[in-house]
């Protein structure tokens, strides 16, 4: 078993951060070396963790839109403190918005959060290969990457890929600021049925409150 692979995740959305960390940890199950994962919503903390020479960060997943700073603005400072860290960009917006600035800042690849289920594991594998400076698999077999990714999404969102069409409509209407009675009228069902669907959605998303469920849906682009 090889040396540890240390992966950091920086995202100012706490809900998205939690989901991405779960996906990374699930991906790590297919790696051939131990993986350590740290995460933060604060750019200053990410800088400090990357600069820790005793526990170098091999790969940093960085959101493009942070509080008061963009990923491309932060990247040069990270690379100055930790030149060997490989940067992978994440965005909820059209990747073309940041494509050129990310490239110039040394962030590659740039991933759309809506497609992480299929792109995250291969991106980590490629970054690990580049970090190691080898043509090997960086701790994960390239042929396994496509298989790891769906398992990662399943771990990050328990059963959330199984929302029914009616549940998806209820989420969409809730995100449109309709309350339970208004949703019931719109869908021609009872308010009790709406509440029953909400309970099922919370269970599938692994959260306790309806507000948490809506935050999770926003972060993961479920609707």
């Amino acid at each position: 078993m090889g040396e540890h692979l240390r992966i950091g995740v920086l995202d100012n959305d706490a809900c998205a951060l939690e989901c991405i960390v779960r996906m990374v940890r699930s991906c790590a199950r297919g790696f051939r070396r131990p993986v350590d994962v740290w995460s933060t919503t604060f750019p200053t903390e990410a800088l400090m963790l990357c600069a820790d020479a005793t526990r170098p960060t091999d790969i940093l997943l960085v959101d493009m839109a942070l509080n008061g700073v963009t990923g491309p603005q932060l990247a040069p400072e990270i690379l100055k403190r930790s030149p060997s860290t490989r940067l992978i960009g994440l965005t909820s917006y059209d990747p073309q918005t940041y494509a050129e600035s990310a490239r110039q800042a040394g962030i590659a690849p740039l991933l759309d959060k809506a497609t992480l289920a299929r792109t995250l594991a291969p991106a980590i594998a490629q970054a690990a290969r580049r970090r190691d400076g080898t043509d090997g698999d960086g701790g994960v077999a390239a042929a396994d990457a496509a298989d790891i990714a769906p398992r990662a999404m399943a771990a990050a969102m328990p059963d959330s890929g199984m929302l029914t069409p009616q549940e998806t409509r209820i989420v969409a209407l809730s995100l449109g600021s309709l309350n339970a009675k208004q949703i019931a009228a719109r869908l021609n069902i009872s308010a009790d049925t709406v509440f029953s669907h909400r309970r099922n959605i919370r269970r599938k998303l692994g959260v306790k409150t309806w507000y948490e469920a809506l935050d999770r849906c926003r972060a993961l682009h479920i609707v």
Side-chain angles (χ1 to χ4, degrees), residues 125-143:
Q126 183 181 42
R129 290 196 296 271
R130 290 178 176 176
R131 171 63 177 80
D132 292 341
T134 69
D135 292 327
D137 62 17
V140 59

Side-chain angles (χ1 to χ4, degrees), residues 120-186:
L120 183 58
I124 291 175
Q126 183 181 42
R129 290 196 296 271
R130 290 178 176 176
R131 171 63 177 80
D132 292 341
T134 69
D135 292 327
D137 62 17
V140 59
D144 295 336
D147 182 55
I148 293 170
R151 297 202 306 269
M153 178 60 80
M157 300 189 301
D159 296 330
S160 62
M162 298 176 62
L163 292 186
T164 67
Q166 186 77 313
E167 289 168 347
T168 302
R169 284 191 286 270
I170 288 172
V171 169
L173 292 171
S174 296
L175 290 172
S177 301
L178 272 65
N179 61 34
K181 289 184 178 180
Q182 292 169 327
I183 292 172
R186 179 74 64 88

